Amino acid sequence: MLILKGQSKDLGGGFTVRRVLPSIEKRSVGPFVFLDHFGPTPLATGKELVVRPHPHIGLSTITYLYDGVILHRDSLGTEQMIRPFETNWMTAGKGIAHSEHSQADPEYKSLEGIQTWLALPKEAEEVEPSFQHLSHSEIPELHRDGITLRLLGGRFSSIQSLIDVYSALFYADVEVELGAKASWPIPSYEESAFYVSRGKILVQGKVVEVGEMAVFGLGEEVSFEALEPSRLIFLGGEPFPEKRHLYWNFVSTSEERIEKAKQDWKEERFPKVPGETDRIPLPE
């Protein structure tokens, strides 16, 4: 088992995140190549998160909130609010652009959530872009001995998500009561990891705290004990045989494809987000 520590990153305007993947020690877990934990950030104006239109290729992005509301818009014409216990799953494929803006809402005083990227298999990197949103009631759950697991994507144990995925994977929100224990078998061809977003757990005799990720090897049994009431992101799946290249918001098996995406964004050949004229420029 490997423990990764999230690194603080400033996204601009004083909005910071903990970035856990990719890290120097571990670039990916199964198909998952990126994990940011943002917040909790107090909501005073509702405009604390303003992410202008930007592009993606070769991946799916998943946004999941603990608190707050975000408005997602994309170049498919999607306009979707996301609230806690819902999930936005956007597959970029051959190319998509989108924006994200936090919203004022009297129910929430802060904004906190997880954004994750997973690479697509080589044969699916150029699929048509798509967007799926699941409400709370559409997310399957498992309840066992003080543990609630909400499956946000893929398949785990006896449950399967409604989300369309392109490889063997699982992605879940796990709530754990104080003292709860679990021991879960993992297929021999899959990697897995727990990210601790709230609370504290004990894994193989080691304490894993907020901002840390416990990464298990291929087929390694997953077991833990909650030292506090905790909230975890549980993810994993079958790793790909090919190396993935990451540049900014682009993921691909081909460096040439990333160069083309860079030029396409720079020269405004990506599809536009309806109703938005501003955009994030290509980093130089």
Side-chain angles (χ1 to χ4, degrees):
M1 183 193 69
L2 175 67
I3 296 180
L4 306 179
K5 297 183 182 292
Q7 303 298 314
S8 180
K9 301 286 184 181
D10 191 339
L11 299 187
F15 192 88
T16 60
V17 301
R18 288 189 181 97
R19 183 156 298 163
V20 188
L21 287 177
S23 72
I24 294 173
E25 299 90 345
K26 184 73 172 168
R27 304 299 295 175
S28 60
V29 177
F32 293 87
V33 296
F34 180 97
L35 188 147
D36 270 1
H37 176 190
F38 54 89
T41 299
L43 284 174
T45 65
K47 301 184 184 300
E48 279 70 19
L49 176 68
V50 177
V51 182
R52 294 171 292 162
H54 58 281
H56 290 285
I57 64 165
L59 53 73
S60 294
T61 71
I62 308 104
T63 303
Y64 189 72
L65 296 180
Y66 297 143
D67 285 302
V69 180
I70 289 176
L71 173 62
H72 163 100
R73 292 192 183 102
D74 64 39
S75 52
L76 297 174
T78 309
E79 186 166 318
Q80 177 67 57
M81 292 287 191
I82 180 170
R83 295 176 170 82
F85 301 106
E86 302 175 346
T87 184
N88 278 357
W89 193 292
M90 183 184 76
T91 295
K94 67 181 184 181
I96 199 169
H98 76 129
S99 66
E100 297 162 298
H101 299 267
S102 57
Q103 305 288 299
D105 189 294
E107 188 174 347
Y108 302 104
K109 303 301 181 186
S110 66
L111 179 67
E112 183 180 11
I114 304 288
Q115 186 165 89
T116 314
W117 300 354
L118 61 96
L120 296 173
K122 185 176 181 179
E123 64 274 13
E125 287 183 314
E126 298 295 320
V127 297
E128 291 294 326
S130 62
F131 177 86
Q132 292 175 276
H133 174 86
L134 293 186
S135 65
H136 189 180
S137 64
E138 293 174 304
I139 295 173
E141 298 184 356
L142 281 177
H143 301 273
R144 294 178 182 170
D145 303 323
I147 299 172
T148 297
L149 182 148
R150 301 178 186 90
L151 189 65
L152 311 180
R155 177 191 293 272
F156 182 76
S157 185
S158 61
I159 57 176
Q160 181 170 355
S161 169
L162 297 173
I163 292 291
D164 297 324
V165 297
Y166 292 86
S167 63
L169 63 91
F170 54 88
Y171 185 63
D173 169 34
V174 183
E175 285 194 87
V176 190
E177 296 176 6
L178 171 64
K181 299 180 182 181
S183 183
W184 295 331
I186 299 295
S188 61
Y189 54 85
E190 292 188 343
E191 295 179 317
S192 61
F194 276 114
Y195 172 72
V196 180
S197 49
R198 294 178 179 177
K200 187 184 299 183
I201 61 175
L202 185 68
V203 183
Q204 297 181 6
K206 297 181 180 179
V207 176
V208 186
E209 301 181 303
V210 172
E212 297 180 340
M213 175 181 277
V215 182
F216 302 88
L218 283 171
E220 187 176 358
E221 185 176 71
V222 169
S223 60
F224 68 91
E225 177 182 354
L227 301 178
E228 298 176 359
S230 300
R231 195 84 176 263
L232 316 171
I233 289 292
F234 181 39
L235 57 80
E238 185 173 7
F240 298 129
E242 314 90 355
K243 177 183 177 181
R244 288 307 186 276
H245 301 281
L246 276 73
Y247 173 85
W248 192 34
N249 303 311
F250 306 135
V251 176
S252 180
T253 53
S254 165
E255 291 182 278
E256 291 77 14
R257 179 66 180 90
I258 287 180
E259 288 301 315
K260 180 181 184 303
K262 288 163 65 174
Q263 284 303 116
D264 285 347
W265 183 251
K266 193 173 184 177
E267 297 172 14
E268 300 194 27
R269 290 196 292 265
F270 264 81
K272 304 291 192 297
V273 177
E276 299 201 33
T277 56
D278 202 359
R279 64 204 292 273
I280 299 177
L282 183 77
E284 298 292 347

